[in-house]
Each structure stands twice: as structure tokens, then as C-alpha cells.
Amino acid sequence: MATTKMLSLQDSSSPLMEQLSFFHDHALLVLVIITILVGQLMVNLFFNNNIHRYLLEGQTIELIWTILPAITLIFIALPSLHLVYILDEINNPLLTIKTLGHQWYWSYEYSDYKNLEFDSYMIPMSEMKLWNFRLLDVDNRIILPFKSQIRMLISSSDVIHSWTTPSLGVKIDATPGRLNQISFSASRTGMFYGQCSEICGANHSFMPIVIESISPKYFIKWLNKNV
């Protein structure tokens, strides 16, 4: 989860987020190289009195500064396209969960099991315990097995919301009248926090998301207890 003074991305908790972090570092490295190169050329331009008489209207230099940016864009575009296809890939999900956004809470339904649905509200300040996180904890968490493919079907009953969990690399809009889907899997056990990322009204900041990733064995016990 995000903490104070954090400037970088959250720790990866899913294979998708790992790939997103790798692409972020790759793109940042390319940008740093370009910035250093252009900065050095600008410094030389300002402090150098020498003049190249063949520089203006030179076909060779124009060809070079057209081809080099194109090659640079290819080095960024290929990993980006590869990542887009990975994010959209859904293969035999183990579990499907329907998520419905409301003003201002989330409703969840484990569609593979009957009578397993609940609403998830933020815990108010007056009811918080010492171990709760302010503005992040909810009364009913999403319980999921780790290292399992999860498909999330997302929609909204009123306005546009956005179901977001940064450490899992998940962000998808909940749009009224439209059913969006996304696939992800948690690579470890733990608690993963998120919030609505689309301004949806006065209490937009008070509809957090909490995912509790547990082992498949304990997940089956939890199902037997609640179904």
C-alpha cells in the first residue's frame, strides 16, 4: 500500500504489475538517455562559437535526426504493445466476481456460488480499531485465493466509478449500462488496498477497495462457511 513520502510505484503483488513496473523502468531509462543527449547538445550549442557551414539544409543530418527518433519509438512501442496483449489476455479464470459501483460503496457477487454477495462500505472513524487504516479499511473485504486467475466483471448503478488496486496493476472503469472485465492474479498472500479513481461525487474519496489474498485451502474453508 502507499505510505507517506512515497515517490515510486507500490511493490508489485501480481505478474501484471511486475511487467508494468519493468516497462516503466525501461521507458524511464530511454527518456533519461534522450534528456542527457539533448542537454549535452544544447550546452555545446550555447558555449561553442564554431559554425559548421554544411549544417544548414544538410540532407544527411536531417536523415539522421528523423531515423534516430523513429528507432527510439520502436524500442518503446514494442514492449508497450506486448504488455497490452498480456493485460487483455483472459484464459480459463478460476473465479469470477461481479462488482457494482454505487454512490458511495461497492457491491460484490461471487457469481460461481449462490447467495454469496455483500456490500463493502468504508469503516467510519467512530468505529475504527487500532489496526484499521484511516479511509482505506472496509467492513467486508474481497477474499481471493492467491496464484489463481481471477476475472472481475465491473459495472455501475449510477455514475462512472473506477475500480483500482495499484499493487495488482488493476484499474478499470465501472460504467452504467456497460459490463467491463479484467483479469488478474495475486502472486502472494496479503492485504491490497485501492480506491475509486474516477471523481464520482461528494463522497468519492470514501469508497475504498480491500482485497485479502489467502491460500486456496483457507479460501475453500471461507466459502464453506459463507455459502
Side-chain angles (χ1 to χ4, degrees):
M1 63 176 290
T3 57
T4 56
K5 299 183 180 179
M6 175 179 280
L7 299 178
S8 60
L9 301 174
Q10 293 187 24
D11 293 338
S12 302
S13 301
S14 72
L16 297 181
M17 189 57 192
E18 289 180 6
Q19 294 299 319
L20 287 170
S21 298
F22 292 153
F23 177 70
H24 170 269
D25 296 341
H26 170 77
L28 196 61
L29 178 61
V30 173
L31 292 176
V32 168
I33 294 174
I34 294 174
T35 303
I36 293 175
L37 178 61
V38 173
Q40 183 182 9
L41 292 175
M42 292 182 66
V43 170
N44 289 336
L45 179 65
F46 289 139
F47 295 99
N48 193 339
N49 295 324
N50 297 326
I51 297 175
H52 196 300
R53 61 177 178 170
Y54 298 113
L55 184 63
L56 296 179
E57 298 184 4
Q59 299 298 322
T60 303
I61 189 65
E62 290 187 6
L63 187 64
I64 291 174
W65 68 40
T66 301
I67 293 178
L68 285 182
I71 295 175
T72 304
L73 289 177
I74 290 174
F75 275 100
I76 296 177
L78 290 181
S80 176
L81 292 174
H82 176 67
L83 186 57
V84 166
Y85 281 103
I86 291 177
L87 293 175
D88 285 341
E89 193 170 329
I90 300 176
N91 292 324
N92 301 321
L94 180 69
L95 185 66
T96 299
I97 300 177
K98 293 180 181 178
T99 302
L100 196 63
H102 306 270
Q103 290 183 313
W104 288 271
Y105 64 97
W106 297 98
S107 296
Y108 300 101
E109 177 186 344
Y110 290 69
S111 56
D112 299 319
Y113 308 96
K114 294 182 178 179
N115 302 323
L116 185 49
E117 53 183 303
F118 52 84
D119 296 331
S120 181
Y121 289 87
M122 185 190 74
I123 300 177
M125 291 285 292
S126 58
E127 300 177 11
M128 288 181 62
K129 308 296 182 183
L130 292 177
W131 56 85
N132 291 137
F133 291 105
R134 177 179 172 270
L135 301 181
L136 283 178
D137 260 315
V138 296
D139 53 358
N140 291 310
R141 302 167 180 162
I142 310 170
I143 309 297
L144 297 177
F146 78 104
K147 292 185 178 179
S148 302
Q149 194 77 4
I150 309 298
R151 177 173 60 184
M152 191 74 70
L153 303 176
I154 300 175
S155 186
S156 173
S157 64
D158 35 52
V159 298
I160 298 178
H161 302 276
S162 185
W163 197 86
T164 307
T165 310
S167 60
L168 296 177
V170 176
K171 182 181 185 297
I172 185 168
D173 287 341
T175 308
R178 178 184 175 92
L179 193 64
N180 294 328
Q181 72 173 1
I182 195 168
S183 178
F184 64 90
S185 65
S187 55
R188 60 182 175 86
T189 59
M191 304 279 290
F192 310 126
Y193 296 87
Q195 290 176 304
C196 176
S197 298
E198 188 73 35
I199 298 177
C200 56
N203 291 332
H204 154 69
S205 301
F206 307 112
M207 48 184 304
I209 302 158
V210 182
I211 297 176
E212 184 174 352
S213 177
I214 60 178
S215 69
K217 180 178 67 174
Y218 288 108
F219 177 73
I220 293 174
K221 290 183 178 180
W222 178 80
L223 283 178
N224 294 331
K225 181 181 178 181
N226 291 275
V227 174

